[in-house]
Amino acid sequence: MLRYFKHFGGSITFLVLITSLFSVRAFAVDSMAEDKTAPRYDVRIIIDISGSMKETDPNNLRIPALNLLLELMPEGAQAGIWTFGHYVNNLVPVAQVDDDWRLRAKNAAASISSLGLHTNLVGALDDAAWGLKEDSGYQQSIILLTDGKLDMPKEFDAAQERQRLMRQVLEKYRKTGANIHTLALSDLADKALLQEIALETDGLYSQAQDADALMKAFLRAFDQAVPAEQVPMEDNTFVIDSSVDEFTALIFKRSGGPQETALLTPQGQRLTQLDHPRNVRWHKDVSFDLVTIKQPEAGTWIAEADLDPANRVTILSDLALSVEGLPSTLFPGDKLDVEIKLTNEGDVVKRVEILSLTDVTMKVVTASGREGRKILSDPENPPVDGIYREGLFRLKELGQYQVDIIAEGRTFQRKRSFSMTMVQPIEIEQEADAVKGVYRIKVKSLSDNLDIERTRVIAKISSPDDSTIIQSVLYDKEAQAWVGEIGPNKGVGQYRVDLNVRGITQGGKNFKVKPESIVFQLPIAMDTLDDGPAVAEGITSKVAPGPVVTAVDLDAKQADAGEDLAESGQSLKAESLETESLEEEEGLAWWIYLILVLINVLVIGLGVWWFVLRKPAASDVQTSLEKDGPLADLETFEEDLAGDFDSLDEGDEIEIPLAPDVSPEDAVDSGSDTLPDAEEVFDEEFSIDPDEEVDTDEDSWGEFDKEKKD
């Protein structure tokens, strides 16, 4: 970690400032739960106990994972537990969290099994919504774990149940502002449905591939429901400053690791489960130790335990790190504007003397383990308002992201960790149709919760004659997709289609998707059909049809013309054998060919003349309402629905370029907050997969080639 202290002659001034900063703290307050300004939480946990859990969770690791959440649940929160199979059971009613509640919850959790006959997910969510209120004063969250799909008895209609979920049950959560964090255990779970539930309620979707990953996936969901201040922990070492009222160390244990977990205090005292003072609360489980210490000693602490990236220390302190702008669910290419600030008792720290000696760092890790790190602070130019601002652009790898924000000063350290899941709302299928002589593009929604009536798809078609046509695309109910067919209307050569999709869900969630350009050749070459239809990520659209001249039609016309010419030649030859010599017959054929050549030259000349006169109107526009009428110049349609293809932004819609690949020579750092047209380059502010030849430095987001450490 870089330090910027050389321009200060000494540290006495800084220590005085730190002392004054914390002198106003209310030490009489025992915990943040008693602080009227601290958030209050309502957390409801729903756990699948269907029979399939015998295979996906054979060791019933749901119990220790649930116990972990119960131990982490803050005092003053309220919480409840539900289980569901065929029937829904409110295992632990919603009540205020204290030691008695934890004991009751742990005893009840011990009865969790895998005996359910079905998966009544809709009923569980419906029942758990009881008591949620719009102005409850709590941050309301649900953590849902399941390994299957909607599976109900025959008397239930699965389609109707799904519709009830989307239109009635989730509406209760949307109205009250409650978030549903969904967790899929195994690949058999209905991941698309769980993603929709999370998206519609601003929750986090995550997946645990197996039961061993269940506990940490549960922990990610809990962190979204109950955000916690942390201090960085490196090599099981962490620093506690004098402003910390309480810390909780979570230490995971591996099989074959040390028999006993211990904590070493700054004075060298060794604390264990069996030997610790009264201000220490120690919970030991099969796979983790959870140690809470009130009024801890300031200084460097060391954990004698297995090294694990998930080991962490959460704290209660008036000095906190506040982060805004990181959503739970995002789409490829989302633009994220992140704001970071240090607060003391809720007030933003603006003192230049403090901020100049504080390093603020952001680290991003993708699902595949690629990571990037960037220092956001500048000791020479600390933010006047105390807010550090950073943009994250061009994130495109699907899956789970981990974002860590760390602030390090002379006498304190703070950390906030966030999980985000990138999901894909649509897909694009491409295929060359040799029979019709067209290139077909289908845009399909990956969510059955999309509002078709209020979703638009626009296609911009660039042709080999340098003209551009913008078309509003229609929905094909039979194909359940927007389907576009492009023929060689503008000549032989390379065509390019850029799509722009505005999506709206049944719940009113808006998004805008701009996939990568689709490039193909027309007419269709037969040898390109051997590999079958091409498939790409993107959106569904049906381009308004127009007159299409197919390759098959051209071949047929040429064949017919050849047959007519052959028949004509044979008849002429027969007549010449009776009345004329062989030389006269050959002379007649020569004149016929000459006439054909002259006609072809005339046709070509007219075509060139027409093209030259028409070329100034290089861009044409055609909407679905005008597909049978004349084409108009692009400038006359700036206020049209199709309008300017790259000025479709309205309200809070989000423009999403899907995984563009920018060449090294095109990569630039423009610093713009808007995304350019398909022909233009993208900002290089942040890129998980940068081009290797792009020059980067410590202040760029270009270096994302480091693998995540185990």
Side-chain angles (χ1 to χ4, degrees):
M1 184 64 61
L2 297 179
R3 303 290 184 185
Y4 302 108
F5 304 121
K6 294 182 180 180
H7 61 292
F8 278 83
S11 61
I12 294 188
T13 302
F14 176 75
L15 292 176
V16 171
L17 289 168
I18 286 292
T19 302
S20 64
L21 177 64
F22 298 125
S23 62
V24 296
R25 294 175 57 249
F27 287 100
V29 178
D30 291 332
S31 70
M32 290 183 66
E34 296 174 281
D35 187 352
K36 294 181 180 180
T37 63
R40 298 197 301 167
Y41 301 100
D42 181 325
V43 183
R44 303 171 184 213
I45 305 170
I46 306 175
I47 298 179
D48 188 346
I49 60 169
S50 61
S52 59
M53 279 288 187
K54 293 179 181 178
E55 297 182 3
T56 54
D57 185 18
N59 297 320
N60 210 356
L61 295 180
R62 285 162 290 172
I63 295 178
L66 177 57
N67 286 337
L68 172 61
L69 301 195
L70 298 179
E71 287 293 328
L72 290 173
M73 203 75 69
E75 297 283 340
Q78 63 181 28
I81 304 173
W82 279 258
T83 58
F84 69 98
H86 177 77
Y87 300 102
V88 178
N89 177 31
N90 186 192
L91 191 66
V92 181
V94 175
Q96 187 170 356
V97 174
D98 54 23
D99 288 340
D100 290 338
W101 181 89
R102 287 193 183 93
L103 181 59
R104 293 196 307 271
K106 288 180 182 178
N107 291 335
S111 65
I112 290 177
S113 63
S114 303
L115 301 178
L117 298 178
H118 298 93
T119 307
N120 188 6
L121 186 150
V122 179
L125 284 173
D126 195 14
D127 197 46
W130 175 86
L132 293 176
K133 298 178 181 179
E134 185 174 357
D135 299 318
S136 66
Y138 289 89
Q139 293 185 16
Q140 303 168 132
S141 303
I142 284 75
I143 298 175
L144 168 65
L145 167 68
T146 182
D147 75 333
K149 305 178 180 180
L150 289 179
D151 176 23
M152 293 299 293
K154 295 182 179 179
E155 59 266 24
F156 287 86
D157 187 307
Q160 290 182 358
E161 278 292 282
R162 198 178 184 105
Q163 188 177 61
R164 183 169 78 93
L165 169 66
M166 291 298 173
R167 298 186 179 180
Q168 298 179 20
V169 177
L170 292 188
E171 184 62 22
K172 298 179 182 179
Y173 292 94
R174 286 191 290 260
K175 284 183 177 180
T176 59
N179 311 119
I180 303 178
H181 308 293
T182 59
L183 175 57
L185 179 58
S186 87
D187 289 327
L188 298 178
D190 192 339
K191 292 179 284 187
L193 176 62
L194 296 178
Q195 287 178 2
E196 288 180 43
I197 293 173
L199 176 63
E200 287 297 308
T201 60
D202 294 325
L204 172 72
Y205 164 81
S206 57
Q207 181 178 0
Q209 295 295 337
D210 50 43
D212 292 337
L214 177 59
M215 185 170 297
K216 293 175 184 178
F218 246 135
L219 188 59
R220 286 195 300 270
F222 184 79
D223 284 340
Q224 298 297 114
V226 185
E229 196 78 23
Q230 300 182 36
V231 294
M233 189 177 192
E234 296 183 2
D235 297 330
N236 281 358
T237 300
F238 56 97
V239 177
I240 297 297
D241 61 78
S242 59
S243 71
V244 175
D245 297 315
E246 175 182 302
F247 79 74
T248 299
L250 174 59
I251 311 296
F252 286 96
K253 295 185 289 188
R254 300 180 182 178
S255 59
Q259 295 297 316
E260 184 181 53
T261 297
L263 284 180
L264 297 182
T265 70
Q267 296 298 324
Q269 183 181 1
R270 192 172 187 270
L271 309 181
T272 66
Q273 181 197 11
L274 301 177
D275 184 13
H276 57 75
R278 298 184 62 179
N279 67 327
V280 177
R281 181 170 176 266
W282 200 298
H283 173 79
K284 186 179 183 66
D285 212 303
V286 176
S287 55
F288 66 90
D289 284 87
L290 196 67
V291 186
T292 300
I293 302 180
K294 292 186 177 182
Q295 300 303 322
E297 181 183 343
T300 301
W301 291 68
I302 301 175
E304 290 184 351
D306 292 310
L307 292 175
D308 191 304
N311 290 349
R312 65 179 197 169
V313 178
T314 59
I315 63 172
L316 294 179
S317 172
D318 290 330
L319 180 64
L321 190 60
S322 174
V323 180
E324 298 178 358
L326 293 174
S328 297
T329 303
L330 69 160
F331 300 113
D334 259 346
K335 300 185 296 182
L336 306 183
D337 296 315
V338 186
E339 293 188 354
I340 304 161
K341 55 192 175 185
L342 275 171
T343 62
N344 184 48
E345 294 185 325
D347 296 328
V348 179
V349 177
K350 301 179 182 179
R351 297 285 295 272
V352 174
E353 299 86 348
I354 302 295
L355 299 180
S356 296
L357 297 179
T358 301
D359 295 340
V360 179
T361 306
M362 176 186 291
K363 184 179 77 170
V364 181
V365 182
T366 70
S368 64
R370 300 176 67 83
E371 70 175 47
R373 188 186 302 263
K374 185 174 182 179
I375 296 178
L376 308 183
S377 54
D378 181 356
E380 302 296 335
N381 298 287
V384 176
D385 58 358
I387 301 176
Y388 299 88
R389 295 174 174 84
E390 178 64 18
L392 294 180
F393 305 105
R394 293 189 60 201
L395 298 176
K396 60 184 180 181
E397 183 178 323
L398 300 181
Q400 198 91 41
Y401 284 78
Q402 181 74 22
V403 181
D404 293 331
I405 312 293
I406 299 175
E408 290 188 273
R410 276 286 182 88
T411 62
F412 70 91
Q413 296 180 348
R414 292 294 182 270
K415 176 182 177 181
R416 293 292 304 274
S417 294
F418 300 86
S419 294
M420 305 185 300
T421 302
M422 179 172 291
V423 298
Q424 180 63 278
I426 48 84
E427 68 177 0
I428 293 180
E429 294 181 359
Q430 310 172 42
E431 62 180 2
D433 189 336
V435 176
K436 297 183 66 175
V438 298
Y439 197 85
R440 185 176 297 110
I441 300 173
K442 292 184 179 180
V443 182
K444 295 183 176 180
S445 170
L446 294 180
S447 168
D448 59 5
N449 197 33
L450 191 67
D451 190 332
I452 302 300
E453 297 296 328
R454 295 192 293 167
T455 297
R456 287 192 295 156
V457 178
I458 306 295
K460 179 168 69 174
I461 306 171
S462 301
S463 304
D465 63 354
D466 294 330
S467 65
T468 299
I469 295 178
I470 294 179
Q471 295 178 317
S472 181
V473 182
L474 304 179
Y475 185 77
D476 188 326
K477 292 184 178 180
E478 183 177 350
Q480 294 188 340
W482 289 263
V483 183
E485 294 183 349
I486 299 92
N489 304 49
K490 299 292 185 177
V492 177
Q494 178 176 286
Y495 287 75
R496 187 184 73 191
V497 176
D498 294 304
L499 297 174
N500 212 328
V501 180
R502 285 180 175 182
I504 231 178
T505 67
Q506 297 290 348
K509 297 292 182 181
N510 296 336
F511 64 88
K512 184 176 175 182
V513 181
K514 186 176 181 181
E516 187 177 358
S517 299
I518 302 172
V519 180
F520 50 91
Q521 297 285 330
L522 287 177
I524 298 168
M526 297 302 295
D527 56 357
T528 63
L529 304 179
D530 296 337
D531 297 331
V535 179
E537 295 179 347
I539 312 258
T540 313
S541 73
K542 183 175 182 178
V543 179
V548 176
V549 180
T550 67
V552 175
D553 293 337
L554 292 174
D555 294 340
K557 291 178 180 179
Q558 291 174 358
D560 293 341
E563 291 175 0
D564 294 341
L565 184 58
E567 292 176 359
S568 176
Q570 290 176 358
S571 62
L572 290 173
K573 184 176 181 180
E575 294 176 0
S576 66
L577 290 175
E578 296 178 358
T579 59
E580 298 179 2
S581 64
L582 181 61
E583 290 79 4
E584 291 174 338
E585 177 192 339
E586 292 176 350
L588 179 62
W590 180 84
W591 282 107
I592 292 176
Y593 287 125
L594 179 59
I595 293 173
L596 290 175
V597 169
L598 292 175
I599 292 174
N600 288 334
V601 171
L602 180 61
V603 170
I604 293 173
L606 290 174
V608 171
W609 172 80
W610 174 85
F611 175 76
V612 170
L613 288 182
R614 187 184 182 279
K615 184 164 179 123
S619 295
D620 301 324
V621 175
Q622 182 181 16
T623 68
S624 58
L625 300 177
E626 300 171 316
K627 58 186 178 183
D628 297 326
L631 300 180
D633 187 80
L634 178 61
E635 295 181 355
T636 65
F637 280 83
E638 290 186 350
E639 297 182 358
D640 185 79
L641 182 66
D644 183 356
F645 187 77
D646 292 302
S647 61
L648 296 176
D649 301 299
E650 289 181 359
D652 297 326
E653 293 176 345
I654 305 172
E655 183 173 339
I656 306 173
L658 298 185
D661 291 322
V662 182
S663 61
E665 56 271 14
D666 291 336
V668 296
D669 183 2
S670 64
S672 174
D673 290 333
T674 59
L675 291 177
D677 190 13
E679 299 95 329
E680 299 176 358
V681 296
F682 289 84
D683 291 338
E684 195 64 28
E685 288 290 331
F686 177 89
S687 174
I688 285 293
D689 296 309
D691 300 287
E692 296 180 356
E693 298 179 13
V694 176
D695 293 332
T696 59
D697 54 35
E698 294 177 344
D699 292 330
S700 78
W701 279 112
E703 298 184 8
F704 277 75
D705 53 354
K706 300 177 182 178
E707 297 299 326
K708 184 179 180 182
K709 297 180 180 179
D710 294 331

